[in-house]
Amino acid sequence: MERAISFTLNGKPTRVTVDDERMLLWVLRSDLGLTGAKFGCGAALCGACTVIVNKEAVRSCTVPVKDIAGKHLLTIEGLSKDERLHPIQEAFINHNAFQCGFCTPGMIMSAYAFLAKKRQPTRAEIIRYMDDNLCRCGNQNRIVDAIQEAAAAMKGKAA
Amino acid sequence: MKPLLIQDDMNVTANGDLSRRRFLKFTGTGLVVFFCAGPLDAWQAASQGVPPTYTEPPKPSVPTDFNAFLQIGADGRVTCLVGRVELGQGPQTAFAQLVADELAVGFDSVNVIMGDTDVCPWDVGTFGSQSMRILGPIVREAAAEARVVLLQMAAEQFKVPVERLQVSDGVITDAAQGKHVTYGELVQGKRIERHLPNVPLKSPADFKVIGKPARRKDAVEKVTGKAKYTGDIRVPGMVYARILRPPAHGATRKDVDTTAAEKIQGVQVVKDGDLIAVIHERPDVAEKALGLIKAQFERKETGLNDKTIFDHLVKNATPPQVMKESGNLADAEKLAEPFELTYFHSYGAHAAMETQSALATIENGKATVWAATQIPFILRDKVAQALGFPKQNVRIITPYVGGGFGGKTNGQNCAEAVRLAKLVGKPVQLVWSRAEDFQYERFRPAAVVKIRSGMTADGKIVSWDFKVYAAGDWGSVTFYDIPNQRTTAVPVTGIAWQKMDTAGDLHPFNVGPWRMPGVNTSTFARESHMDVLASKAGVDPVEFRMRHLSDKRMRRVLEAAVKQFDWKPTRAPSNQGIGIACGTWYKTCVATVVQVKVDKSTGKVQVERVATAVDAGIIVNPEGARQQVEGCVSMGLGYALSEEVRFSNGEILDKNFDTYEIPRFSTMPKIEVVLVDNPELAPDGIAEPPAITMGAAIANAIYDATGARLFQLPMTPDRVKAALKQS
């Protein structure tokens, strides 16, 4: 059903009038012009489309836009503030934790949600949490290193 | 001295004849292989209809004019233009390093524009780990020549001998007069018309940027979501397309009803011959409409599936040619009783995270196509022929590509986008679903290798008969010292690149190059067999290889891997779960030691540690090189342990990542990379070779752990359990 849906997008009140069964990923990418979240599988199997809804990481390719009415949505575009990179982004750069970069926004958003819950995770905990985010280029070990470094850098600070 | 000539023309010309020197250099450094040239079906839209024909035009050459590769702005910023593309393997960064060092400018002042056919010089494509090996020296030469020309220009301006001048960070200084001039001031945004022959390149001892770790040029864009991939490009008036596909290769459409799809507001159904597509302003609405089309297909029974395929391949493969023969095999087989073992490799998918994508616009007789491709210039020529346009009226722009691995060397998706753009008269973006990406993959070919070998009682291999079926000849000739040997395979040139065999219908669907084509398969067979022989001889697998190895470069690499791992001589199976394999492609040498843990009840293999040593000549960006080795290890884990395309009668049964298992965080072992330093040698390529040793190293480690020998990749839990039962 086409209707107006309001939510907060990267800190700004936002309203879209769309078929409310459409998946969030496509509303973000084609109605709102935010192409950071990527299409990889369309079935919540790869994590490339991960965004944050009310502090939880969700696979936006399988979340109908009606489910985010009234909620806070954070995408990769909203992570750095005033051109200042988030510590997770800094850590990804420091460790060259990407190659093609297609999975990277989803990896960073997943890591963001994880670190908000678990401030100082062990390597094993990071691997377990991130295991459903796929990276074909093979940067998993670097991503774990980057998340550990980000966790240390964020110690004592709000996410 | 020639008069100074500067033209007001900043246009980069893509055509230019190769000078003799460069021509010799270019062809003299090795093979120039064209993966994608030729066959008509490669360009055919899978949805049928009348395929646009494509005749390969004469190949242009890489230009000699350094202006084609370099532009110096009035602000002193340098733009490096190369027809290669950034797939994640890091050439954007490495080319900037080459230019920064040879031109004597800061790394941060170099921008690299890649894969845009209107502004970059002609290029064959990005594959075969050749960006540094083949184009690298040409770009270095261009930058070195430009530096010396700029020094001459400054000398003329200052009226001093050129020897007096110093250059650093794009500023030329005459210390004696206290004068300086920047490159930007000298060039004033114009094209340099002067050329100098035979400008020497810097020697490795003088490198300031080459060989040092560099921050990736794409870093900030990629961590902020600002990096644009083809599917992220938006142009006014564009629409999204989805194509109706048959359920299986070889299936024909009998009946179709598009009524329900047409009822969705804004949907346009396109029918053109066998092609049926839906168009909408929103990609997901097009997808929804596609789901409402009712169509019946008749499938073709072939009897082929992922189990019957190997017999089919051996029976139907083109009779192989002799690639190398030495000594006398028949006589040698009388000296030592030979035995034969057969090795199998299943079909594999590239499965890049970004599916095949293109955005095509056709306006006023000019086509512009954004494409996720490894071959922008070949695509340009194909699109031009399909549309009947002169090629200067077609522009291919390659944004960041979300992984290639050999899978983006064809362009079926691009052909479909162009065809639809022409049909609907609007810009059309076509991003394949994951299922389409699997269905129209050009898989790494399933293949069979038979090795018949004989060894004397003192552990010397005296005969070696190596036959490859269906995977081509790459990596098939052994580097071990065996007096009597023969290697037979079908050489992969021309049409074989599309089929991996000259028999066009050998494989039931398209196959193509997959990160180190053919070599993964051949290396798995050879290095597994070396361990079988070592075990028979009762000799440590490293020692056994060394006894048959005189190649100094390979010996050095093997020693480096063994040292890194701290390998203790042993006779397999030793229950430690360690395995080794060596491999080579072009001149790059690789040796890999792995350690595995095998769960005997489930058959699951966990690789815990990988130590890989690589000699790839000079390393431009050590950090980038390490990343490439890690990527190879990861893809190697995939093809060795889990990646297998299941199919039945033309239907690809693996349609997404739930059943097609690529490596995950929990799959990854500790990876130790040793870059064996060889700075005096030209770069040899590193983005593929380290993948080739993974299959055999893991197979050998499983044998060492359990005494069970695996003969088929991938070594899935079921296959491991079956092998354990047999051992």
Side-chain angles (χ1 to χ4, degrees):
Chain A
M1 188 182 71
E2 184 153 314
R3 68 180 174 102
I5 294 166
S6 300
F7 50 94
T8 308
L9 173 60
N10 297 330
K12 289 192 191 107
T14 302
R15 203 164 91 128
V16 290
T17 303
V18 295
D19 175 350
D20 64 359
E21 297 287 347
R22 290 180 60 207
M23 295 305 161
L24 175 58
L25 174 65
W26 301 113
V27 174
L28 282 171
R29 290 182 55 83
S30 57
D31 294 70
L32 293 164
L34 297 181
T35 56
K38 299 288 186 263
F39 166 78
C41 70
L45 295 167
C46 78
C49 67
T50 305
V51 299
I52 311 290
V53 176
N54 282 5
K55 297 191 176 170
E56 293 286 337
V58 302
R59 307 301 198 215
S60 65
C61 71
T62 51
V63 174
V65 67
K66 67 181 178 187
D67 286 7
I68 62 152
K71 294 184 179 167
H72 288 268
L73 176 61
L74 180 68
T75 70
I76 188 76
E77 289 88 351
L79 200 56
S80 44
K81 292 195 178 86
D82 312 321
E83 301 291 307
R84 248 196 6 260
L85 296 181
H86 188 276
I88 301 174
Q89 294 171 314
E90 292 276 9
F92 266 63
I93 292 180
N94 292 341
H95 290 271
N96 279 326
F98 52 86
Q99 289 181 34
C100 84
F102 202 76
C103 72
T104 309
M107 289 285 178
I108 291 175
M109 298 317 284
S110 291
Y112 177 90
F114 179 53
L115 291 181
K117 279 188 198 145
K118 185 90 195 174
R119 290 307 182 95
Q120 299 300 316
T122 63
R123 253 190 118 74
E125 286 167 335
I126 296 171
I127 289 168
R128 204 175 314 131
Y129 184 87
M130 298 297 290
D131 214 29
D132 289 336
N133 281 72
L134 301 181
C135 165
R136 185 55 158 163
C137 301
N139 293 280
Q140 287 88 348
N141 291 355
R142 289 170 180 271
I143 293 170
V144 176
D145 293 342
I147 294 173
Q148 281 197 310
E149 183 184 293
M154 289 158 71
K155 209 170 179 175
K157 289 183 202 158
Chain B
M1 200 171 274
K2 281 189 214 163
L4 190 63
L5 276 175
I6 293 183
Q7 228 179 40
D8 275 314
D9 175 12
M10 272 292 286
N11 287 331
V12 174
T13 51
N15 299 313
D17 295 319
L18 279 172
S19 71
R20 184 175 161 71
R21 173 182 173 230
R22 279 223 180 90
F23 181 78
L24 286 175
K25 216 169 162 163
F26 192 59
T27 53
T29 48
L31 287 172
V32 182
V33 179
F34 299 85
F35 278 169
C36 304
L40 305 183
D41 66 327
W43 182 232
Q44 182 176 337
S47 47
Q48 307 308 320
V50 183
T53 54
Y54 173 65
T55 316
E56 188 191 342
K59 287 180 191 84
S61 45
V62 174
T64 52
D65 181 351
F66 61 78
N67 289 284
F69 295 103
L70 296 170
Q71 292 177 349
I72 297 167
D75 59 357
R77 287 201 65 81
V78 177
T79 303
C80 170
L81 301 142
V82 283
R84 302 275 148 145
V85 303
E86 178 62 82
L87 307 160
Q89 82 287 30
Q92 193 184 25
T93 307
F95 279 120
Q97 288 180 273
L98 296 179
V99 169
D101 227 329
E102 291 292 354
L103 190 58
V105 295
F107 172 72
D108 290 334
S109 68
V110 183
N111 292 339
V112 182
I113 294 179
M114 305 183 76
D116 182 332
T117 60
D118 264 17
V119 299
C120 301
W122 181 87
D123 185 81
V124 62
T126 307
F127 46 73
S129 302
Q130 298 173 345
S131 289
M132 290 303 109
R133 168 153 70 89
I134 291 181
L135 194 57
I138 295 171
V139 169
R140 273 183 73 188
E141 276 186 19
E145 185 183 342
R147 183 193 72 240
V148 177
V149 167
L150 287 159
L151 277 166
Q152 282 189 355
M153 287 163 67
E156 287 156 20
Q157 186 171 323
F158 294 164
K159 299 189 171 59
V160 298
V162 73
E163 295 74 28
R164 256 173 60 173
L165 302 179
Q166 300 283 319
V167 58
S168 173
D169 280 335
V171 182
I172 298 171
T173 308
D174 174 20
Q177 290 185 71
K179 277 187 180 171
H180 60 83
V181 63
T182 68
Y183 284 174
E185 288 160 357
L186 274 174
V187 177
Q188 296 176 352
K190 292 174 184 172
R191 177 188 175 86
I192 303 167
E193 284 298 308
R194 185 184 307 184
H195 290 281
L196 293 167
N198 303 322
V199 172
L201 299 179
K202 267 191 178 177
S203 78
D206 298 329
F207 287 156
K208 288 187 175 143
V209 192
I210 298 172
K212 313 282 190 296
R215 172 167 287 202
R216 290 183 67 117
K217 285 275 176 192
D218 49 3
V220 173
E221 283 175 285
K222 284 185 175 173
V223 302
T224 53
K226 286 181 182 144
K228 294 282 184 227
Y229 300 79
T230 297
D232 302 333
I233 307 293
R234 304 284 176 262
V235 297
M238 69 183 275
V239 290
Y240 299 84
R242 301 288 286 111
I243 295 176
L244 180 68
R245 305 292 189 184
H249 288 273
T252 46
R253 200 171 66 229
K254 290 292 152 198
D255 195 23
V256 66
D257 176 4
T258 59
T259 330
E262 282 162 28
K263 282 187 182 144
I264 294 186
Q265 198 189 354
V267 161
Q268 181 187 356
V269 175
V270 177
K271 296 179 186 172
D272 180 49
D274 262 8
L275 172 71
I276 294 184
V278 286
I279 303 288
H280 196 272
E281 286 179 357
R282 297 285 179 267
D284 50 323
V285 181
E287 170 86 21
K288 184 179 167 189
L290 181 73
L292 294 174
I293 294 180
K294 295 186 191 80
Q296 273 85 48
F297 291 88
E298 192 173 289
R299 296 180 187 228
K300 195 168 132 195
E301 295 292 322
T302 62
L304 289 180
N305 59 46
D306 44 275
K307 295 186 181 62
T308 60
I309 189 69
F310 299 106
D311 277 349
H312 165 83
L313 293 177
V314 171
K315 274 186 202 136
N316 297 293
T318 304
Q321 299 173 28
V322 175
M323 306 312 302
K324 189 188 170 186
E325 188 161 24
S326 62
N328 187 321
L329 213 50
D331 285 355
E333 290 192 348
K334 285 176 205 149
L335 284 177
E337 183 68 29
F339 70 99
E340 186 176 272
L341 290 172
T342 307
Y343 299 87
F344 304 89
H345 200 170
S346 306
Y347 289 101
H350 300 85
M353 296 316 297
E354 177 199 40
T355 59
Q356 305 279 347
S357 312
L359 166 60
T361 71
I362 303 172
E363 223 168 40
N364 306 324
K366 182 161 167 81
T368 305
V369 185
W370 287 262
T373 183
Q374 295 179 238
I375 49 158
F377 285 85
I378 294 172
L379 261 193
R380 177 195 63 180
D381 297 349
K382 287 183 168 188
V383 169
Q385 286 194 16
L387 292 170
F389 288 2
K391 64 185 175 187
Q392 62 269 24
N393 286 9
V394 176
R395 178 182 191 182
I396 305 289
I397 301 171
T398 316
Y400 284 120
V401 181
F405 318 113
K408 286 170 178 162
T409 52
N410 172 253
Q412 176 192 328
N413 163 283
C414 179
E416 293 170 344
V418 169
R419 186 172 169 193
L420 285 164
K422 193 179 174 192
L423 286 167
V424 303
K426 289 175 191 166
V428 171
Q429 187 168 97
L430 180 65
V431 174
W432 281 1
S433 70
R434 184 53 65 183
E436 283 175 294
D437 211 65
F438 272 106
Q439 185 167 6
Y440 297 108
E441 258 279 352
R442 308 180 82 76
F443 298 108
R444 182 199 60 234
V448 177
V449 177
K450 291 186 187 225
I451 309 176
R452 186 176 151 97
S453 63
M455 181 170 65
T456 52
D458 61 348
K460 251 187 100 48
I461 310 171
V462 289
S463 69
W464 180 266
D465 187 2
F466 192 95
K467 298 190 193 102
V468 185
Y469 300 87
D473 63 316
W474 282 20
S476 59
V477 173
T478 182
F479 46 80
Y480 291 114
D481 306 329
I482 301 170
N484 308 289
Q485 54 172 292
R486 180 170 60 209
T487 299
T488 52
V490 175
V492 283
T493 52
I495 192 166
W497 263 119
Q498 300 297 328
K499 303 289 178 191
M500 292 287 169
D501 193 286
T502 44
D505 55 356
L506 178 65
H507 291 283
F509 27 66
N510 290 318
V511 297
W514 190 101
R515 203 169 193 166
M516 210 67 274
V519 190
N520 292 312
T521 306
S522 290
T523 305
F524 164 64
R526 184 192 62 241
E527 294 297 310
S528 294
H529 204 80
M530 287 300 284
D531 260 42
V532 169
L533 291 167
S535 190
K536 260 187 198 295
V539 177
D540 166 63
V542 173
E543 170 62 23
F544 186 76
R545 283 174 172 78
M546 283 296 193
R547 286 185 192 173
H548 292 90
L549 196 54
S550 56
D551 183 280
K552 283 194 187 121
R553 210 167 163 184
M554 184 61 85
R555 286 182 70 95
R556 199 154 79 108
V557 165
L558 179 53
E559 280 159 8
V562 162
K563 185 172 169 225
Q564 174 66 33
F565 189 84
D566 196 19
W567 175 285
K568 298 281 188 294
T570 180
R571 183 186 160 179
S574 74
N575 295 323
Q576 297 173 86
I578 57 174
I580 188 151
C582 299
T584 179
W585 172 243
Y586 189 58
K587 288 177 184 165
T588 300
C589 292
V590 185
T592 300
V593 182
V594 305
Q595 182 153 26
V596 303
K597 208 176 233 169
V598 181
D599 183 328
K600 290 184 184 170
S601 60
T602 62
K604 189 178 180 329
V605 176
Q606 180 77 35
V607 178
E608 300 192 309
R609 188 179 165 206
V610 175
T612 283
V614 191
D615 176 351
I618 185 175
I619 296 292
V620 178
N621 180 4
E623 183 66 5
R626 279 172 199 284
Q627 273 196 290
Q628 285 313 298
V629 179
E630 291 163 15
C632 286
V633 166
S634 167
M635 285 191 90
L637 289 166
Y639 82 71
L641 294 174
S642 62
E643 291 183 35
E644 174 172 18
V645 178
R646 271 68 57 98
F647 66 98
S648 177
N649 284 326
E651 181 175 0
I652 306 299
L653 301 174
D654 290 294
K655 300 171 197 292
N656 213 323
F657 294 119
D658 47 351
T659 63
Y660 191 83
E661 293 175 49
I662 65 171
R664 294 171 180 270
F665 279 84
S666 56
T667 321
M668 295 298 275
K670 181 175 181 229
I671 302 172
E672 297 156 51
V673 179
V674 183
L675 300 173
V676 176
D677 197 29
N678 223 338
E680 297 297 334
L681 297 177
D684 286 332
I686 201 163
E688 297 178 279
I692 64 182
T693 42
M694 289 298 291
I698 295 173
N700 294 339
I702 294 171
Y703 178 78
D704 187 58
T706 66
R709 171 63 56 187
L710 275 289
F711 292 97
Q712 182 172 356
L713 296 179
M715 298 174 282
T716 57
D718 283 349
R719 290 195 182 111
V720 171
K721 276 197 285 184
L724 283 167
K725 245 185 215 168
Q726 286 205 339
S727 69

